[in-house]
Amino acid sequence: MQESPTDERNLFARPGPVAACFAGAGLLDGLLSLLNGAPEGFGSALAVLLITLGFWLLLGFACWAGLGLLGLLVGPQVLRDGLVRARGWLNEARDEPDPEHDRARLATAMAWLVGAGVWLLLGAGVLAYLIATRNGPWLISAASLVVHLLLLPIGVIAGLAARRGALFTLEALASGETFAELLRVRTLMTLVRRTRVAAAALTILVMVLAEFVSIDNAFLRLFRAVDGTAFLLPLIAIAALPSLHRTNLSGSAPARGLIAMVAGLAIAFAGLQSDGARIDVATTAPTSKYVLKQLQRLTDFDGDGVASAPFGNDCGPNDPTIKPFAEDPTGDGIDQNCDGQDGVAETPGAQVAELPPAKPLEPRGVQPNLVLITIDALRADHLGAYGYQRPVSPVFDSYAERGVLFLEAFSQDSGTGPSLWSLMVGKTPFQVKLERPERFPPRLAKTETTLATRLKRSGYQTAAVLCGQVFGTPWWNLKDGFDTFNELCGAKDKHQASRVTREALKTWRELTAKGPTSMWVHYYDPHSPYYNSPL
């Protein structure tokens, strides 16, 4: 029999449908990046879309080439026969005239679903625990893999038990005429076909909720923790292949699909010329950020932690002593820090920033206004007051000159959560009593009293202006005691120091005009990946 161009055996034979599906997912990835971030103008937004489109075409090419390699290893005929056999099994199940055989197939399908579901849910529970207890990524990955292997027999047992129970239940239900026709594979296939649009809409809804809405829900919290959107997008692209394969795109010549992929890569390289777009992709693109991270690792030829162009801005790709922010002694004729000149570049006006003279504290008995500023991932050795040679912190340095500067100070913990609940309660992280410590962030026990609560009892107006999605979690009672608690960033880009400052100053002016005020301001901008803010 002559093979039809839309036969399932040709599903991966031509790269055209693969390129189209993955290009669509790439544009969606780029759109999510734009909605999550704050691109600087139309050009930067376009560059983000070009980068994600090109990366996804690269993923599509890898998928197509991988299946081609698999076909070579096992034999093209074996791969094609497997696809045809799977399609044949579905057709036979759809046209099965014997209801009893139909019910057996349904029971087997339910067994697979239950077994896989139990296996995945137990594994997800262990994964959630590993994430909540703040283990490292390599330990989480290795432990999760081992646990899933150990849980496999439990999934098999659950599946076998589910098959027996399902078969018994189906037989009992089939005795009534009402359910006899409903309990058929063809009915199930029709239901799946008619609800696939609703399933796709539900999937997109979950992604939108996880990306843009701060809802304290166990499922969404786990979904965000494992970066579910990054994994769903490739699944959406693959799931769309059969439908797109039936269109005339599947009849396109293989060369056209390859040309589209190569052109997409060239477009991505063009987009990568924009530093701002590359930063936006690295921080906000659900899936492309992982592609960029791997490409940056592969192009860090000298092992200095900075990728070569176009994936990074290492001007000395083969010399680990030459990279951005390296020490650049004046007079050696070498531009070690990639700023285009020998020696440290002076920022106009950076060294002349001054603060007004300090005012003495209010007389005893008068409550002074209080401000607590915390900054995520800020390095002391990169501040001028602590000897850093580049003029990156002129205001801080000026303030340090007229105040008290601690030469040795240590964070309570390496993680933001434990460090802050320690700071706000006044105990070490392990002394603070917690409710549900396996959940992140855990609640403070009712016996603990926060700094804001104590200040409020002392007559202060209490306010917080912060950036960081974890602070907006309704479950976390670190916000107890604050009259106003304004988390500005949500699920969007956290590099918004100027916005935090503007809102903090506005709130400060309003409250100090009414009476004694204490305010907590938290910035997230120095957090990885590091880049120079345009503001």
Side-chain angles (χ1 to χ4, degrees):
M1 182 176 68
Q2 188 174 3
E3 188 178 281
S4 167
T6 58
D7 194 291
E8 281 71 15
R9 288 177 289 180
N10 285 328
L11 182 58
F12 294 103
R14 301 179 186 275
V18 180
C21 288
F22 278 76
L27 292 176
L28 180 57
D29 194 28
L31 181 61
L32 290 173
S33 175
L34 296 178
L35 293 174
N36 264 325
E40 299 175 22
F42 175 78
S44 181
L46 178 61
V48 168
L49 293 176
L50 294 179
I51 294 172
T52 58
L53 174 62
F55 282 175
W56 274 88
L57 287 172
L58 175 62
L59 290 175
F61 178 79
C63 174
W64 175 77
L67 287 169
L69 179 61
L70 179 63
L72 292 175
L73 294 175
V74 303
Q77 192 62 37
V78 174
L79 186 60
R80 292 176 181 175
D81 288 347
L83 293 172
V84 172
R85 196 173 295 115
R87 180 67 178 177
W89 184 90
L90 289 173
N91 289 336
E92 288 178 7
R94 181 190 61 197
D95 302 330
E96 175 60 62
D98 187 349
E100 187 174 347
H101 288 167
D102 230 7
R103 291 192 290 274
R105 283 193 175 96
L106 280 175
T108 301
M110 289 182 183
W112 277 101
L113 288 175
V114 172
V118 169
W119 178 60
L120 290 174
L121 285 174
L122 291 175
V126 174
L127 179 61
Y129 175 79
L130 292 172
I131 294 173
T133 50
R134 305 186 61 77
N135 292 281
W138 286 108
L139 177 59
I140 291 175
S141 302
S144 180
L145 177 61
V146 172
V147 167
H148 276 85
L149 291 175
L150 295 176
L151 292 173
L152 192 58
I154 298 178
V156 172
I157 294 172
L160 293 174
R163 189 182 188 282
R164 290 178 64 89
L167 196 56
F168 176 81
T169 304
L170 291 172
E171 293 290 350
L173 292 175
S175 60
E177 295 182 3
T178 305
F179 296 100
E181 186 58 30
L182 293 176
L183 303 176
R184 301 299 301 272
V185 173
R186 62 169 172 257
T187 305
L188 181 62
M189 292 177 66
T190 301
L191 179 64
V192 170
R193 186 167 57 251
R194 291 181 178 178
T195 58
R196 59 186 176 183
V197 175
L202 180 61
T203 300
I204 294 175
L205 176 62
V206 170
M207 290 168 52
V208 169
L209 289 175
E211 291 291 319
F212 304 113
V213 182
S214 298
I215 295 180
D216 187 33
N217 174 273
F219 171 74
L220 289 177
R221 203 162 49 244
L222 177 61
F223 186 87
R224 295 185 187 106
V226 300
D227 224 346
T229 301
F231 297 103
L232 274 183
L233 286 176
L235 293 179
I236 291 173
I238 294 172
L241 272 174
S243 297
L244 196 60
H245 174 69
R246 298 186 181 93
T247 68
N248 56 8
L249 282 174
S250 61
S252 61
R256 294 181 183 177
L258 291 175
I259 291 173
M261 292 182 181
V262 173
L265 291 176
I267 291 171
F269 274 87
L272 286 166
Q273 303 308 310
S274 167
D275 289 340
R278 187 172 65 239
I279 292 164
D280 286 337
V281 171
T283 54
T284 60
T287 306
S288 293
K289 64 184 177 184
Y290 293 107
V291 180
L292 178 58
K293 183 177 181 179
Q294 292 304 318
L295 290 173
Q296 287 177 331
R297 286 181 177 178
L298 291 174
T299 55
D300 180 16
F301 303 119
D302 53 10
D304 60 0
V306 182
S308 304
F311 306 109
N313 54 353
D314 191 353
C315 63
N318 298 312
D319 188 342
T321 65
I322 299 178
K323 60 181 178 180
F325 304 110
E327 293 188 7
D328 189 8
T330 303
D332 61 358
I334 302 175
D335 175 20
Q336 282 95 343
N337 61 3
C338 302
D339 64 353
Q341 58 184 319
D342 180 21
V344 178
E346 295 291 335
T347 303
Q351 297 283 29
V352 298
E354 294 183 358
L355 295 176
K359 295 180 181 180
L361 290 175
E362 288 83 347
R364 187 177 299 274
V366 177
Q367 293 176 303
N369 294 322
L370 304 173
V371 181
L372 170 64
I373 299 176
T374 55
I375 306 175
D376 233 274
L378 179 64
R379 291 178 53 170
D381 61 347
H382 275 57
L383 296 172
Y386 289 99
Y388 191 53
Q389 61 174 336
R390 297 172 65 87
V392 297
S393 54
V395 176
F396 179 90
D397 301 340
S398 176
Y399 190 84
E401 288 180 359
R402 67 194 192 101
V404 178
L405 181 70
F406 291 88
L407 298 180
E408 292 189 5
F410 302 92
S411 173
Q412 299 90 332
D413 193 273
S414 58
T416 300
S419 183
L420 287 178
W421 72 58
S422 170
L423 178 66
M424 292 302 177
V425 174
K427 301 178 182 177
T428 67
F430 296 102
Q431 290 175 329
V432 178
K433 293 182 174 59
L434 304 171
E435 294 179 3
R436 298 285 300 277
E438 79 284 355
R439 183 176 182 179
F440 187 82
R443 289 176 61 86
L444 301 175
K446 295 179 181 179
T447 55
E448 301 292 4
T449 304
T450 63
L451 174 63
T453 300
R454 295 182 185 277
L455 289 171
K456 187 174 181 179
R457 291 173 181 173
S458 300
Y460 277 90
Q461 302 171 98
T462 54
V465 179
L466 337 95
C467 185
Q469 184 177 352
V470 67
F471 300 115
T473 304
W475 161 267
W476 200 11
N477 55 356
L478 188 74
K479 62 184 67 175
D480 286 356
F482 286 100
D483 297 320
T484 60
F485 193 92
N486 192 356
E487 197 286 301
L488 297 173
C489 298
K492 296 184 179 298
D493 181 29
K494 308 301 187 298
H495 301 86
Q496 301 192 39
S498 57
R499 183 184 175 196
V500 173
T501 300
R502 287 195 301 270
E503 186 64 27
L505 289 174
K506 176 185 175 183
T507 305
W508 178 259
R509 294 188 187 101
E510 292 175 353
L511 294 181
T512 53
K514 300 176 183 178
T517 300
S518 68
M519 176 178 285
W520 173 30
V521 184
H522 182 82
Y523 295 94
Y524 195 87
D525 293 64
H527 207 284
S528 175
Y530 305 110
Y531 68 89
N532 293 330
S533 172
L535 300 176

